[in-house]
Amino acid sequence: MKKNNMVAMILAGGRGSRLFDLTKKVAKPAVHFGGKYRIIDFALSNCANSHISTVGVLVQYESILLSSYSARSSTWGLDSKGGGVYVLSPREKDETGLGLYNGTADAIYQNLDFLDQEEAEYVLVLSGDHIYKMNYEKMLQKHIESKAEATIAVIEVPKKEASRFGIMNTDSTDRIVEFEEKPKEPKSNLASMGVYIFNYRTLRRYLREDAKNSESAHDFGKNVIPAYLNDGLKLQAYRFKGYWKDVGTIDSLWEANMDLLKDNSGLDLFDPSWKIYTDDASATPQCIGSKAKLNNAFITQGAVINGEVNHSVIFSGTRIEEGAKVTESVIMNDAVVGKNAKLTRCLVADGIRIPEGMVLGKKNSDEILLVSKALIAKAGENHE
Amino acid sequence: MSKVLGLLNFEPSYVYVKGIEDFRPISAASILGRYRVIDFMLSNFTNSGIDSIKVYIKNRPRSIVEHITRTSYNINSKRGKIHLLHGENNFGNNELFNVDIQAFKTYMEFVDIENSSYVVIAPSHFIFKQDFSEMLNYHIVSKNDITILYQKANDTDQNYLMGDILSLDENKRVTKFHKNRGKYKNGNVSLETYIMPTLTFKQLVEEAAATSSLYSLSDIIADSAKVLKIGAYQHHGFCACISTLKAYYDANMQIKKEKEMLKLINEDWPIYTMTNDSCPTLYKPSAKVNGSIVANGCQIEGTVINSVIGRNVIIKEGAVVKDSVIMPDTLIDKNVKLECAVVDRLSIITHIKDLKGTKEEPIYIKRGDRI
């Protein structure tokens, strides 16, 4: 049943260069997370659970895997008639020829024909690289009630961290009066979550204007939102309470995984009423061997554990061999931790084989060690 | 290749898995935490390239229908099909069909429609891995009328009771069928898996129906040993006939060993099942787990030793689960001690703190029980 005429557009084209080797051949939204998921599963499942039936996924950087993955709409139950997941990559057009997406606003602008065709009344703009559970239907309701032209979801962040975010300054009714991108001296602690609802007709007009402006960076935060504010349009903040994390760096990706080990992180993946859907791996159940030792672990099917796992998240198809010790680490899909190897505060990329006895990472280190192919090769040389 | 049709038979009357079967046919019972018994045989079919399959259902179709219709067994969604065939208009009877011949005869038109050259008939209460395309090649090369899959077993005094034991000649042709009454330890056990031309199958069904209403397919095949060339094809590796509660328990315990499991289920031979979209399992700091297999969606605070834990199971602090099979969606509360138990789905164990069976006779906790 089509419950609202809001079309979701997930921005999933960025490279995510601060994830280094993890995004060498895979776009950030397709990076694995939390044992069995990919990062984009959160945005897509939120859409499905919010009764949104049409979702556009805007891809650009290394998009083969991300496109084929997103296109399987049935994974998230987004396969009802009249809806679906549309993978929108840059395309050659009749009048303009081939152009890559040049900024977040440009990506939506280049797909106005798609939104026209879907007869969208509201457009929900999302990022494909955030971990959170959110009911967009409730946000739409608020948006409609407030009669705003656009509503921006915000979350309270600690004051001292506020300068890392786009900060919304609001009046007493939560109307946005000012937007500051990464302010040195933040006036409020309401950070934009990169979740926007726009009335489509107005957005359409502003995007067409923005496209004509050769000086614009074609960015929602830098250009479109300020243009709305300049013209005195009503922009409303929607306060979100709950877990939300941008996983753009190795450290934050590691942290978000570690949050899954906590009882009260605010992200409840066990809640049956708001499941996060993902591709079903035809893997065996988890095999916890007779010599295994587990001390706080989040483990998914297809993993075989014969060693010791402390405060770690273990992804599908991994093997932790006998005598190996994994502490405060994230072991991604199909990685193998060889016998007696010791990993502390590491994030091991997909498919990496840690040789027998190798020791990586340090207790109490400030930075999380990304264990990639290159690192293993280098560590092997030093070993010899 | 000539077209091959897969027929998944229902369990014969000698199968009775105490407790579990009161709620569903054994083929729909949960096994190894995340599968149903039937997944193994259906995956045998599809992994062998057979994607037209008829599933005959004797009684209580609900759980099987729900499971199969929501599982993709990697069958081409347009050209392949799993057809569910259960009796209709039989209200008041406990069973929709009594013997398999009745079901085969009733629904022969659905076999005809496929225009297949061969049928592979497989049982739904067995677990083993078998490439049927290799068996079919053997069938064709050896010019048999019927080929039966068998296993050389050394525990026929304990298992496979009331199944068929085959006497074979030097050419691996079956000379005689015996009912296994547990007298001998060693024997060639029929795995109730047959390959034959579709035409032969149809003739046998007609013949059996004309003989007696109690006749089953295995009866009529046994009768035909003198007139037809019945060959035997040996199966190697793990095999379980789930005909009793102990056999069900043993199968779980045997497959849960890593080496055994990876022989039965691996990348080259995936076992398909329904996804539940459960998140991974959380082992809290107080959890102690070893020698076990665990499905996704569990929250474990207690101790789990040498057990099989189904999906979405909660095991609270201080609880000890040992040598047990816990089916999905159950709760084992604080300080409950379980040993050699089979706990059926959706049950909650909270008041009774000590439940102990033996490996010979595991204790069974009913589906949905709150004790």
Side-chain angles (χ1 to χ4, degrees), chain A residues 31-57:
Chain A
V31 167
H32 288 291
F33 175 79
K36 67 180 292 200
Y37 306 99
R38 293 185 189 272
I39 294 169
I40 199 172
D41 286 330
F42 287 81
L44 284 166
S45 301
N46 284 341
C47 286
N49 288 326
S50 302
H51 299 108
I52 293 169
S53 53
T54 305
V55 181
V57 177

PDB file of all heavy atoms in Angstrom, chain A residues 31-57:
ATOM      1  N   VAL A  31      30.295  -0.802   2.170  1.00  0.00           N
ATOM      2  CA  VAL A  31      31.245  -1.394   3.121  1.00  0.00           C
ATOM      3  C   VAL A  31      30.466  -2.174   4.169  1.00  0.00           C
ATOM      4  O   VAL A  31      29.385  -1.772   4.585  1.00  0.00           O
ATOM      5  CB  VAL A  31      32.108  -0.277   3.768  1.00  0.00           C
ATOM      6  CG1 VAL A  31      32.886  -0.788   4.969  1.00  0.00           C
ATOM      7  CG2 VAL A  31      33.056   0.308   2.721  1.00  0.00           C
ATOM      8  N   HIS A  32      31.023  -3.310   4.580  1.00  0.00           N
ATOM      9  CA  HIS A  32      30.338  -4.155   5.566  1.00  0.00           C
ATOM     10  C   HIS A  32      30.304  -3.508   6.942  1.00  0.00           C
ATOM     11  O   HIS A  32      31.195  -2.746   7.310  1.00  0.00           O
ATOM     12  CB  HIS A  32      31.041  -5.504   5.669  1.00  0.00           C
ATOM     13  CG  HIS A  32      30.817  -6.374   4.480  1.00  0.00           C
ATOM     14  ND1 HIS A  32      29.602  -6.931   4.202  1.00  0.00           N
ATOM     15  CD2 HIS A  32      31.647  -6.768   3.494  1.00  0.00           C
ATOM     16  CE1 HIS A  32      29.692  -7.646   3.096  1.00  0.00           C
ATOM     17  NE2 HIS A  32      30.924  -7.559   2.640  1.00  0.00           N
ATOM     18  N   PHE A  33      29.296  -3.868   7.706  1.00  0.00           N
ATOM     19  CA  PHE A  33      29.157  -3.298   9.040  1.00  0.00           C
ATOM     20  C   PHE A  33      28.423  -4.270   9.965  1.00  0.00           C
ATOM     21  O   PHE A  33      27.498  -4.958   9.540  1.00  0.00           O
ATOM     22  CB  PHE A  33      28.368  -1.977   8.978  1.00  0.00           C
ATOM     23  CG  PHE A  33      28.095  -1.398  10.338  1.00  0.00           C
ATOM     24  CD1 PHE A  33      29.094  -0.713  11.013  1.00  0.00           C
ATOM     25  CD2 PHE A  33      26.875  -1.600  10.974  1.00  0.00           C
ATOM     26  CE1 PHE A  33      28.873  -0.218  12.289  1.00  0.00           C
ATOM     27  CE2 PHE A  33      26.648  -1.102  12.250  1.00  0.00           C
ATOM     28  CZ  PHE A  33      27.648  -0.411  12.910  1.00  0.00           C
ATOM     29  N   GLY A  34      28.846  -4.305  11.204  1.00  0.00           N
ATOM     30  CA  GLY A  34      28.069  -4.978  12.252  1.00  0.00           C
ATOM     31  C   GLY A  34      27.862  -6.463  12.058  1.00  0.00           C
ATOM     32  O   GLY A  34      26.843  -6.993  12.451  1.00  0.00           O
ATOM     33  N   GLY A  35      28.809  -7.133  11.438  1.00  0.00           N
ATOM     34  CA  GLY A  35      28.720  -8.574  11.277  1.00  0.00           C
ATOM     35  C   GLY A  35      28.108  -8.972   9.963  1.00  0.00           C
ATOM     36  O   GLY A  35      28.747  -9.571   9.117  1.00  0.00           O
ATOM     37  N   LYS A  36      26.833  -8.625   9.726  1.00  0.00           N
ATOM     38  CA  LYS A  36      26.182  -9.145   8.528  1.00  0.00           C
ATOM     39  C   LYS A  36      25.680  -8.068   7.577  1.00  0.00           C
ATOM     40  O   LYS A  36      25.154  -8.380   6.530  1.00  0.00           O
ATOM     41  CB  LYS A  36      25.032 -10.083   8.926  1.00  0.00           C
ATOM     42  CG  LYS A  36      23.872  -9.392   9.626  1.00  0.00           C
ATOM     43  CD  LYS A  36      22.749 -10.374  10.004  1.00  0.00           C
ATOM     44  CE  LYS A  36      22.008 -10.948   8.825  1.00  0.00           C
ATOM     45  NZ  LYS A  36      20.690 -11.476   9.165  1.00  0.00           N
ATOM     46  N   TYR A  37      25.821  -6.809   7.945  1.00  0.00           N
ATOM     47  CA  TYR A  37      25.198  -5.750   7.159  1.00  0.00           C
ATOM     48  C   TYR A  37      26.175  -5.065   6.206  1.00  0.00           C
ATOM     49  O   TYR A  37      27.381  -5.259   6.278  1.00  0.00           O
ATOM     50  CB  TYR A  37      24.607  -4.689   8.100  1.00  0.00           C
ATOM     51  CG  TYR A  37      23.676  -5.285   9.118  1.00  0.00           C
ATOM     52  CD1 TYR A  37      24.110  -5.556  10.410  1.00  0.00           C
ATOM     53  CD2 TYR A  37      22.381  -5.619   8.769  1.00  0.00           C
ATOM     54  CE1 TYR A  37      23.251  -6.142  11.342  1.00  0.00           C
ATOM     55  CE2 TYR A  37      21.518  -6.196   9.693  1.00  0.00           C
ATOM     56  CZ  TYR A  37      21.967  -6.453  10.970  1.00  0.00           C
ATOM     57  OH  TYR A  37      21.115  -7.034  11.879  1.00  0.00           O
ATOM     58  N   ARG A  38      25.594  -4.225   5.320  1.00  0.00           N
ATOM     59  CA  ARG A  38      26.364  -3.198   4.623  1.00  0.00           C
ATOM     60  C   ARG A  38      25.809  -1.869   5.126  1.00  0.00           C
ATOM     61  O   ARG A  38      24.636  -1.791   5.530  1.00  0.00           O
ATOM     62  CB  ARG A  38      26.197  -3.303   3.108  1.00  0.00           C
ATOM     63  CG  ARG A  38      26.823  -4.576   2.541  1.00  0.00           C
ATOM     64  CD  ARG A  38      26.756  -4.581   1.024  1.00  0.00           C
ATOM     65  NE  ARG A  38      27.146  -5.871   0.482  1.00  0.00           N
ATOM     66  CZ  ARG A  38      28.404  -6.218   0.188  1.00  0.00           C
ATOM     67  NH1 ARG A  38      29.382  -5.346   0.372  1.00  0.00           N
ATOM     68  NH2 ARG A  38      28.691  -7.393  -0.294  1.00  0.00           N
ATOM     69  N   ILE A  39      26.640  -0.822   5.093  1.00  0.00           N
ATOM     70  CA  ILE A  39      26.243   0.443   5.712  1.00  0.00           C
ATOM     71  C   ILE A  39      24.906   0.944   5.158  1.00  0.00           C
ATOM     72  O   ILE A  39      24.031   1.399   5.886  1.00  0.00           O
ATOM     73  CB  ILE A  39      27.359   1.500   5.530  1.00  0.00           C
ATOM     74  CG1 ILE A  39      28.611   1.066   6.316  1.00  0.00           C
ATOM     75  CG2 ILE A  39      26.896   2.863   6.022  1.00  0.00           C
ATOM     76  CD1 ILE A  39      29.860   1.881   6.020  1.00  0.00           C
ATOM     77  N   ILE A  40      24.714   0.807   3.852  1.00  0.00           N
ATOM     78  CA  ILE A  40      23.495   1.351   3.231  1.00  0.00           C
ATOM     79  C   ILE A  40      22.224   0.612   3.656  1.00  0.00           C
ATOM     80  O   ILE A  40      21.119   1.126   3.492  1.00  0.00           O
ATOM     81  CB  ILE A  40      23.622   1.350   1.681  1.00  0.00           C
ATOM     82  CG1 ILE A  40      22.592   2.318   1.071  1.00  0.00           C
ATOM     83  CG2 ILE A  40      23.507  -0.050   1.117  1.00  0.00           C
ATOM     84  CD1 ILE A  40      22.753   2.537  -0.414  1.00  0.00           C
ATOM     85  N   ASP A  41      22.361  -0.588   4.243  1.00  0.00           N
ATOM     86  CA  ASP A  41      21.189  -1.321   4.722  1.00  0.00           C
ATOM     87  C   ASP A  41      20.374  -0.496   5.705  1.00  0.00           C
ATOM     88  O   ASP A  41      19.153  -0.644   5.795  1.00  0.00           O
ATOM     89  CB  ASP A  41      21.609  -2.616   5.437  1.00  0.00           C
ATOM     90  CG  ASP A  41      22.071  -3.696   4.465  1.00  0.00           C
ATOM     91  OD1 ASP A  41      21.571  -3.714   3.336  1.00  0.00           O
ATOM     92  OD2 ASP A  41      22.937  -4.500   4.849  1.00  0.00           O
ATOM     93  N   PHE A  42      21.066   0.368   6.459  1.00  0.00           N
ATOM     94  CA  PHE A  42      20.361   1.147   7.483  1.00  0.00           C
ATOM     95  C   PHE A  42      19.419   2.155   6.835  1.00  0.00           C
ATOM     96  O   PHE A  42      18.248   2.233   7.189  1.00  0.00           O
ATOM     97  CB  PHE A  42      21.360   1.802   8.448  1.00  0.00           C
ATOM     98  CG  PHE A  42      21.965   0.778   9.379  1.00  0.00           C
ATOM     99  CD1 PHE A  42      23.007  -0.035   8.970  1.00  0.00           C
ATOM    100  CD2 PHE A  42      21.438   0.589  10.643  1.00  0.00           C
ATOM    101  CE1 PHE A  42      23.526  -1.009   9.809  1.00  0.00           C
ATOM    102  CE2 PHE A  42      21.953  -0.382  11.496  1.00  0.00           C
ATOM    103  CZ  PHE A  42      23.003  -1.187  11.074  1.00  0.00           C
ATOM    104  N   ALA A  43      19.922   2.921   5.868  1.00  0.00           N
ATOM    105  CA  ALA A  43      19.060   3.892   5.193  1.00  0.00           C
ATOM    106  C   ALA A  43      17.937   3.176   4.437  1.00  0.00           C
ATOM    107  O   ALA A  43      16.773   3.585   4.505  1.00  0.00           O
ATOM    108  CB  ALA A  43      19.883   4.751   4.237  1.00  0.00           C
ATOM    109  N   LEU A  44      18.268   2.090   3.756  1.00  0.00           N
ATOM    110  CA  LEU A  44      17.247   1.383   2.967  1.00  0.00           C
ATOM    111  C   LEU A  44      16.193   0.731   3.861  1.00  0.00           C
ATOM    112  O   LEU A  44      14.995   0.765   3.562  1.00  0.00           O
ATOM    113  CB  LEU A  44      17.915   0.331   2.073  1.00  0.00           C
ATOM    114  CG  LEU A  44      18.623   0.897   0.840  1.00  0.00           C
ATOM    115  CD1 LEU A  44      19.533  -0.144   0.201  1.00  0.00           C
ATOM    116  CD2 LEU A  44      17.608   1.382  -0.194  1.00  0.00           C
ATOM    117  N   SER A  45      16.635   0.134   4.975  1.00  0.00           N
ATOM    118  CA  SER A  45      15.668  -0.491   5.884  1.00  0.00           C
ATOM    119  C   SER A  45      14.801   0.562   6.553  1.00  0.00           C
ATOM    120  O   SER A  45      13.596   0.350   6.747  1.00  0.00           O
ATOM    121  CB  SER A  45      16.389  -1.323   6.954  1.00  0.00           C
ATOM    122  OG  SER A  45      17.171  -2.318   6.349  1.00  0.00           O
ATOM    123  N   ASN A  46      15.404   1.694   6.902  1.00  0.00           N
ATOM    124  CA  ASN A  46      14.613   2.784   7.473  1.00  0.00           C
ATOM    125  C   ASN A  46      13.521   3.215   6.496  1.00  0.00           C
ATOM    126  O   ASN A  46      12.386   3.468   6.884  1.00  0.00           O
ATOM    127  CB  ASN A  46      15.500   3.985   7.807  1.00  0.00           C
ATOM    128  CG  ASN A  46      16.326   3.756   9.070  1.00  0.00           C
ATOM    129  OD1 ASN A  46      16.014   2.896   9.885  1.00  0.00           O
ATOM    130  ND2 ASN A  46      17.394   4.524   9.221  1.00  0.00           N
ATOM    131  N   CYS A  47      13.872   3.322   5.220  1.00  0.00           N
ATOM    132  CA  CYS A  47      12.879   3.696   4.201  1.00  0.00           C
ATOM    133  C   CYS A  47      11.756   2.668   4.168  1.00  0.00           C
ATOM    134  O   CYS A  47      10.573   3.018   4.211  1.00  0.00           O
ATOM    135  CB  CYS A  47      13.525   3.766   2.809  1.00  0.00           C
ATOM    136  SG  CYS A  47      14.566   5.217   2.586  1.00  0.00           S
ATOM    137  N   ALA A  48      12.132   1.393   4.088  1.00  0.00           N
ATOM    138  CA  ALA A  48      11.124   0.329   3.996  1.00  0.00           C
ATOM    139  C   ALA A  48      10.226   0.343   5.228  1.00  0.00           C
ATOM    140  O   ALA A  48       9.004   0.267   5.115  1.00  0.00           O
ATOM    141  CB  ALA A  48      11.802  -1.024   3.845  1.00  0.00           C
ATOM    142  N   ASN A  49      10.840   0.468   6.403  1.00  0.00           N
ATOM    143  CA  ASN A  49      10.056   0.462   7.640  1.00  0.00           C
ATOM    144  C   ASN A  49       9.209   1.724   7.790  1.00  0.00           C
ATOM    145  O   ASN A  49       8.240   1.741   8.541  1.00  0.00           O
ATOM    146  CB  ASN A  49      10.981   0.304   8.846  1.00  0.00           C
ATOM    147  CG  ASN A  49      11.541  -1.112   8.952  1.00  0.00           C
ATOM    148  OD1 ASN A  49      10.875  -2.081   8.605  1.00  0.00           O
ATOM    149  ND2 ASN A  49      12.772  -1.239   9.409  1.00  0.00           N
ATOM    150  N   SER A  50       9.579   2.798   7.088  1.00  0.00           N
ATOM    151  CA  SER A  50       8.808   4.045   7.136  1.00  0.00           C
ATOM    152  C   SER A  50       7.746   4.100   6.034  1.00  0.00           C
ATOM    153  O   SER A  50       7.202   5.168   5.743  1.00  0.00           O
ATOM    154  CB  SER A  50       9.735   5.260   6.972  1.00  0.00           C
ATOM    155  OG  SER A  50      10.723   5.285   7.958  1.00  0.00           O
ATOM    156  N   HIS A  51       7.494   2.955   5.398  1.00  0.00           N
ATOM    157  CA  HIS A  51       6.480   2.856   4.346  1.00  0.00           C
ATOM    158  C   HIS A  51       6.788   3.715   3.122  1.00  0.00           C
ATOM    159  O   HIS A  51       5.872   4.197   2.453  1.00  0.00           O
ATOM    160  CB  HIS A  51       5.090   3.219   4.875  1.00  0.00           C
ATOM    161  CG  HIS A  51       4.638   2.313   5.982  1.00  0.00           C
ATOM    162  ND1 HIS A  51       4.561   2.716   7.284  1.00  0.00           N
ATOM    163  CD2 HIS A  51       4.278   1.014   5.972  1.00  0.00           C
ATOM    164  CE1 HIS A  51       4.162   1.714   8.038  1.00  0.00           C
ATOM    165  NE2 HIS A  51       3.986   0.663   7.263  1.00  0.00           N
ATOM    166  N   ILE A  52       8.050   3.935   2.846  1.00  0.00           N
ATOM    167  CA  ILE A  52       8.408   4.624   1.608  1.00  0.00           C
ATOM    168  C   ILE A  52       8.587   3.539   0.552  1.00  0.00           C
ATOM    169  O   ILE A  52       9.266   2.538   0.798  1.00  0.00           O
ATOM    170  CB  ILE A  52       9.714   5.419   1.789  1.00  0.00           C
ATOM    171  CG1 ILE A  52       9.471   6.560   2.772  1.00  0.00           C
ATOM    172  CG2 ILE A  52      10.237   5.929   0.451  1.00  0.00           C
ATOM    173  CD1 ILE A  52      10.722   7.243   3.236  1.00  0.00           C
ATOM    174  N   SER A  53       7.955   3.702  -0.592  1.00  0.00           N
ATOM    175  CA  SER A  53       8.025   2.598  -1.548  1.00  0.00           C
ATOM    176  C   SER A  53       8.985   2.867  -2.703  1.00  0.00           C
ATOM    177  O   SER A  53       9.422   1.938  -3.358  1.00  0.00           O
ATOM    178  CB  SER A  53       6.630   2.265  -2.078  1.00  0.00           C
ATOM    179  OG  SER A  53       6.023   3.426  -2.577  1.00  0.00           O
ATOM    180  N   THR A  54       9.322   4.120  -2.952  1.00  0.00           N
ATOM    181  CA  THR A  54      10.242   4.411  -4.045  1.00  0.00           C
ATOM    182  C   THR A  54      11.512   5.055  -3.511  1.00  0.00           C
ATOM    183  O   THR A  54      11.460   6.075  -2.823  1.00  0.00           O
ATOM    184  CB  THR A  54       9.584   5.355  -5.066  1.00  0.00           C
ATOM    185  OG1 THR A  54       8.352   4.764  -5.498  1.00  0.00           O
ATOM    186  CG2 THR A  54      10.478   5.578  -6.271  1.00  0.00           C
ATOM    187  N   VAL A  55      12.630   4.423  -3.807  1.00  0.00           N
ATOM    188  CA  VAL A  55      13.913   4.901  -3.311  1.00  0.00           C
ATOM    189  C   VAL A  55      14.893   5.003  -4.480  1.00  0.00           C
ATOM    190  O   VAL A  55      15.065   4.038  -5.220  1.00  0.00           O
ATOM    191  CB  VAL A  55      14.495   3.943  -2.246  1.00  0.00           C
ATOM    192  CG1 VAL A  55      15.825   4.460  -1.717  1.00  0.00           C
ATOM    193  CG2 VAL A  55      13.511   3.726  -1.105  1.00  0.00           C
ATOM    194  N   GLY A  56      15.486   6.169  -4.649  1.00  0.00           N
ATOM    195  CA  GLY A  56      16.558   6.316  -5.625  1.00  0.00           C
ATOM    196  C   GLY A  56      17.894   6.222  -4.909  1.00  0.00           C
ATOM    197  O   GLY A  56      18.063   6.809  -3.842  1.00  0.00           O
ATOM    198  N   VAL A  57      18.818   5.455  -5.455  1.00  0.00           N
ATOM    199  CA  VAL A  57      20.157   5.374  -4.863  1.00  0.00           C
ATOM    200  C   VAL A  57      21.120   5.999  -5.864  1.00  0.00           C
ATOM    201  O   VAL A  57      21.285   5.489  -6.975  1.00  0.00           O
ATOM    202  CB  VAL A  57      20.548   3.918  -4.554  1.00  0.00           C
ATOM    203  CG1 VAL A  57      21.970   3.851  -4.017  1.00  0.00           C
ATOM    204  CG2 VAL A  57      19.586   3.299  -3.550  1.00  0.00           C
TER     205      VAL A  57
END
